[in-house]
Amino acid sequence: MPLNTLLKTLPPIPSHPAPCWEQLRRAPIEDNGERLVPMSLAPAPVSVYPAYARLGIPGAIPECFVREGVYRALLTAARSLPEGIGLIVLDGWRPWRVQQYLFDTLQEAIHHHQPDLSEAELLERTREFVSVPSRDPLAPSPHLTGGAVDVTLCDADGLPLDMGTLFDEALPASHSDYFEHLETLTPQQHKARDHRRLLYHTMHQQGFTNLPSEWWHFDYGDQLWAYYGQHDHAHYGPAELDTIENRWRRQLG
């Protein structure tokens, strides 16, 4: 089906409330033991751009790792896209140090611009775009599990499509359904809305759930996925890269 025809058939992105973090943290985790794998192994139409490493964020790694089930679901999603459209993976598994840096940096920026916010309000505003850093085996930050992934779409030349905001912009316009609620859209906003719909429905068809405040953030197998997908339990708990040091310790222990 031609891209323009397909875009006209896509339904609106549904609206969902922000997650209740206290509730989703109670979802049991039965880790299935899947390994972390590098997305750079994936063939076209998947490409990888480790955004945080390119931005020089402390502790960021120059690769996007995800659990094996996420890898395969992403590849299937990318292959289902219309001809000439690809999927860019921007971030996956995240070291705890990076999660802490992102949380602290955003919280400081919000406090600078809104110094009158209470502690509870500041936490809620920060959580809108960055979850609280946690290595708790019962309630890890989504990106520390390898089940959360940040993605966008690109054209045949690999250039990102217009999604209305940039990746990681902490703005109301970054909410997935933002353009669905505007009475009138400019031609550029109309195009961005259609691109978001294409990304959302492509990912949803492969079992991913979306974080409502971030059009780029999708989950598969973690507690956010269990929460929004109404699953009995999560498949992924905290994960660590299989370093050569850890491997030797297991072999020689």
Side-chain angles (χ1 to χ4, degrees):
M1 183 184 299
L3 177 60
N4 289 337
T5 304
L6 173 62
L7 293 177
K8 292 178 182 178
T9 68
L10 292 174
I13 296 173
S15 297
H16 295 289
C20 174
W21 292 98
E22 288 69 27
Q23 180 179 341
L24 77 85
R25 286 166 60 94
R26 293 196 293 269
I29 299 172
E30 299 177 14
D31 199 301
N32 62 13
E34 286 180 2
R35 58 183 174 167
L36 290 170
V37 294
M39 281 305 308
S40 60
L41 293 176
V46 174
S47 56
V48 179
Y49 186 85
Y52 294 133
R54 301 296 175 89
L55 289 170
I57 288 180
I61 55 178
E63 177 60 272
C64 293
F65 287 91
V66 295
R67 296 287 190 125
E68 186 172 344
V70 179
Y71 175 98
R72 296 188 185 280
L74 284 172
L75 194 51
T76 302
R79 287 169 172 162
S80 74
L81 288 167
E83 185 176 357
I85 304 296
L87 190 72
I88 302 177
V89 179
L90 301 165
D91 190 37
W93 175 81
R94 191 179 290 170
W96 184 85
R97 180 185 177 192
V98 174
Q99 187 70 27
Q100 186 72 61
Y101 177 89
L102 294 172
F103 185 87
D104 291 344
T105 301
L106 179 57
Q107 191 171 61
E108 289 172 9
I110 294 171
H111 180 67
H112 176 76
H113 288 284
Q114 298 177 278
D116 295 331
L117 290 178
S118 66
E119 288 190 17
E121 291 170 331
L122 180 59
L123 175 60
E124 181 180 0
R125 181 75 178 88
T126 307
R127 271 182 164 178
E128 185 179 355
F129 294 101
V130 181
S131 64
V132 174
S134 172
R135 288 180 284 197
D136 184 345
L138 300 179
S141 304
H143 274 284
L144 271 66
T145 70
V149 64
D150 298 328
V151 294
T152 191
L153 299 175
C154 65
D155 63 20
D157 295 325
L159 296 177
L161 298 184
D162 182 7
M163 306 299 283
T165 69
L166 298 176
F167 164 61
D168 251 5
E169 283 198 90
L171 300 170
S174 290
H175 285 233
S176 303
D177 65 353
Y178 176 78
F179 294 114
E180 307 291 354
H181 299 290
L182 298 184
E183 292 187 3
T184 58
L185 299 174
T186 66
Q188 185 174 0
Q189 289 174 329
H190 193 280
K191 184 179 294 185
R193 184 205 67 181
D194 288 350
H195 291 160
R196 287 192 188 188
R197 287 182 178 182
L198 177 59
L199 177 63
Y200 177 90
H201 291 294
T202 296
M203 297 292 285
H204 186 262
Q205 286 171 6
Q206 300 308 319
F208 288 91
T209 59
N210 171 245
L211 181 63
S213 57
E214 299 179 354
W215 59 259
W216 58 82
H217 179 112
F218 293 86
D219 296 277
Y220 189 98
D222 60 14
Q223 286 177 309
L224 263 176
W225 168 84
Y227 177 83
Y228 280 114
Q230 298 182 337
H231 301 285
D232 292 336
H233 64 275
H235 298 311
Y236 305 138
E240 291 291 343
L241 292 181
D242 186 20
T243 64
I244 191 65
E245 180 182 5
N246 291 340
R247 193 176 303 174
W248 284 339
R249 285 178 176 175
R250 288 198 307 269
Q251 293 169 347
L252 300 175

